[in-house]
Amino acid sequence: MSSHQDVLDVAVRAREASHGLALATRAQKDRALLAMADALVGHQGEILAANAEDVARAEADGTPANIVDRLRLTPERLEAMAQGLRDVAALPDPVGEVVRGSSLANGLELRQVRVPFGVVGMIYEARPNVTADAAGICLKSGNAVLLRGSSSARSSNAAIVEVLRAAATLGDLDADVVQLVPGDSHESVKALMRARGLVDVLIPRGGAGLIRSVVEESTVPVIETGVGNCHVYVDRAADLDKALAIVVNAKTHRTSVCNAAESLLVHADVADEFLPRIVAALQDAGVTIHGDPAFATYDGVLPATEEDYEREYLSLDISAAVVGSIDEAIRHIRRYSSQHSDAVVTEDLAAATLFTRSVDSAAVLVNASTRFTDGGEFGFGAEIGISTQKLHARGPMGLPEMTSTKYVVTGDGHVR
């Protein structure tokens, strides 16, 4: 149990550490990131032992398998976390980048440059890989980070942060650029959300309830990351072999993540040919289909309800419907999509253009799986989250999205 003041104390330390981090060179930050990557692998035994405690506790509490999967670390996942830090180290430093500049008519030199936010608060559920991802992205973009993971991952997060803090000092950085927020109760989350003036921005990452709570209760500005009710629409002009591979990958590659497909739409003109193939392929992969009357004629398909079309399953389930036109598909997506990632499979350029212009989501994909909506896949390094809002940042948030800007105006004795 920690008090409101305990949370403010770590925020004060983060604010102080952020001043030095804002002045750090790229070489310092990259050295720290590479040391952090090596430390994750070098301390694999301690981290996996701590994670095993969390997993055992979750399983004993009857936690759903998809949430346990998000929680579980393996040597492969730990190596992926380390590689994410190495990837971030290899990226250009956004701090100091000139976004635009000009010489004004009066001779003043005007430059808009990228600068760190200062202190970033992360509130997230279950997934301990976010701990390393957030620390790396924030450090490279010049931000101190306060990490408030869920109590279900407290042992994992504590072990990871201990390792990262020690490694950060190898880049001559203050260890307090990475800190855990003390406490497991909602009171510690509330204290972080009310630390306006010490924390510059909050990023919630988790389920709809968590995100809604942070957005509605926080006095600190929030960048909203959204849930993923993602759709794949198979158009009348689709290559059905491509469509089969894309739908199966989007649904089954990893079900517990926000860019997994949760709903399938099929044009009526190809339904007779495609439905038997996709129903068999999904069911062979263990997927339960919640379908409209056209899908429900197949054995094992459950009748879809309104809630099914609204739902982010994060499991081996998918809602499905046959639509009479691309316009009907777009209307369905507008009604049910969470505006995260929606895909069209078509060989018709006009249909693809209509879909990409009409579907208002953070990522719209043509002939590609929704699983590609990811900072690493986009070449951004390890992302800090996928924003579904429209202010400041949208889509996978990499290094540039973790900065603000300021104007530097240089004169020669100019007065107005």
Side-chain angles (χ1 to χ4, degrees):
M1 196 73 170
S2 295
S3 69
H4 183 92
Q5 189 58 48
D6 291 331
V7 176
L8 295 184
D9 287 345
V10 298
V12 168
R13 287 161 49 194
R15 171 63 68 194
E16 187 61 31
S18 74
H19 300 319
L21 182 57
L23 299 176
T25 64
R26 173 177 178 176
Q28 283 179 278
K29 292 188 284 189
D30 289 351
R31 189 162 60 247
L33 287 166
L34 294 174
M36 290 160 72
D38 291 343
L40 286 177
V41 177
H43 291 270
Q44 174 177 292
E46 300 100 291
I47 294 171
L48 293 181
N51 180 251
E53 295 176 13
D54 290 330
V55 170
R57 190 166 56 247
E59 291 177 335
D61 291 342
T63 303
N66 62 308
I67 303 300
V68 175
D69 177 63
R70 285 180 170 226
L71 178 62
R72 180 178 284 110
L73 291 177
T74 63
E76 293 75 22
R77 289 183 181 181
L78 203 56
E79 175 56 41
M81 290 162 57
Q83 187 58 47
L85 293 173
R86 298 184 192 107
D87 292 343
V88 171
L91 294 171
D93 189 340
V95 178
E97 176 191 349
V98 178
V99 178
R100 58 181 171 175
S102 62
S103 297
L104 303 183
N106 60 8
L108 285 174
E109 297 292 332
L110 181 69
R111 288 179 297 135
Q112 184 185 17
V113 298
R114 292 198 183 280
V115 295
F117 288 126
V119 178
V120 174
M122 282 290 300
I123 301 174
Y124 54 105
E125 293 175 331
R127 297 171 62 177
N129 65 293
V130 175
T131 304
D133 290 351
I137 290 270
C138 287
L139 189 151
K140 183 66 179 260
S141 56
N143 298 292
V145 64
L146 294 172
L147 299 159
R148 177 52 167 85
S150 59
S151 59
S152 62
R154 60 177 174 266
S155 298
S156 305
N157 290 336
I160 292 168
V161 168
E162 181 179 355
V163 166
L164 297 181
R165 283 171 55 83
T169 63
L170 299 179
D172 298 320
L173 302 178
D174 189 329
D176 285 340
V177 297
V178 181
Q179 294 183 80
L180 274 184
V181 174
D184 288 334
S185 71
H186 183 66
E187 291 307 307
S188 67
V189 178
K190 186 179 294 186
L192 182 61
M193 292 192 294
R194 303 295 167 82
R196 191 179 182 94
L198 291 173
V199 179
D200 295 286
V201 65
L202 282 179
I203 302 174
R205 185 166 169 177
L210 168 72
I211 294 167
R212 184 169 55 251
S213 173
V214 174
V215 169
E216 293 176 355
E217 296 182 36
S218 178
T219 61
V220 175
V222 177
I223 298 178
E224 184 174 350
T225 62
V227 298
N229 186 3
C230 304
H231 295 69
V232 179
Y233 163 59
V234 179
D235 186 51
R236 64 188 299 179
D239 178 317
L240 297 186
D241 290 332
K242 289 181 185 177
L244 188 73
I246 288 169
V247 173
V248 171
N249 178 264
K251 177 67 263 181
T252 68
H253 182 254
R254 191 174 177 194
T255 59
S256 63
V257 290
C258 60
N259 59 15
E262 306 289 23
S263 191
L264 168 63
L265 302 174
V266 179
H267 195 290
D269 287 0
V270 295
D272 286 347
E273 182 179 354
F274 188 64
L275 261 59
R277 297 179 63 190
I278 193 59
V279 168
L282 288 172
Q283 290 180 339
D284 285 348
V287 177
T288 298
I289 301 170
H290 305 257
D292 70 350
F295 273 91
T297 60
Y298 293 85
D299 289 343
V301 175
L302 303 178
T305 64
E306 183 75 5
E307 290 73 21
D308 286 318
Y309 291 118
E310 295 172 344
R311 188 173 173 187
E312 182 190 32
Y313 289 103
L314 300 175
S315 62
L316 284 170
D317 294 85
I318 193 168
S319 64
V322 171
V323 293
S325 66
I326 187 172
D327 293 324
E328 185 180 342
I330 291 167
R331 287 195 297 271
H332 182 105
I333 291 169
R334 285 175 178 165
R335 179 174 180 178
Y336 297 109
S337 172
S338 61
Q339 299 184 302
H340 186 295
S341 301
D342 295 296
V344 58
V345 185
T346 186
E347 301 299 307
D348 182 344
L349 179 59
T353 301
L354 176 62
F355 190 90
T356 58
R357 294 184 64 184
S358 301
V359 172
D360 186 19
S361 296
V364 183
L365 301 99
V366 179
N367 294 328
S369 169
T370 57
R371 287 286 288 122
F372 284 106
T373 306
D374 175 84
E377 294 294 331
F378 281 13
F380 300 165
E383 72 186 32
I384 202 162
I386 296 176
S387 170
T388 54
Q389 66 176 29
K390 297 184 182 181
L391 297 179
H392 175 68
R394 200 176 191 200
M397 292 188 293
L399 295 175
E401 290 74 28
M402 294 307 296
T403 62
S404 182
T405 64
K406 68 180 176 185
Y407 287 94
V408 177
V409 184
T410 303
D412 185 19
H414 284 65
V415 295
R416 182 177 177 183

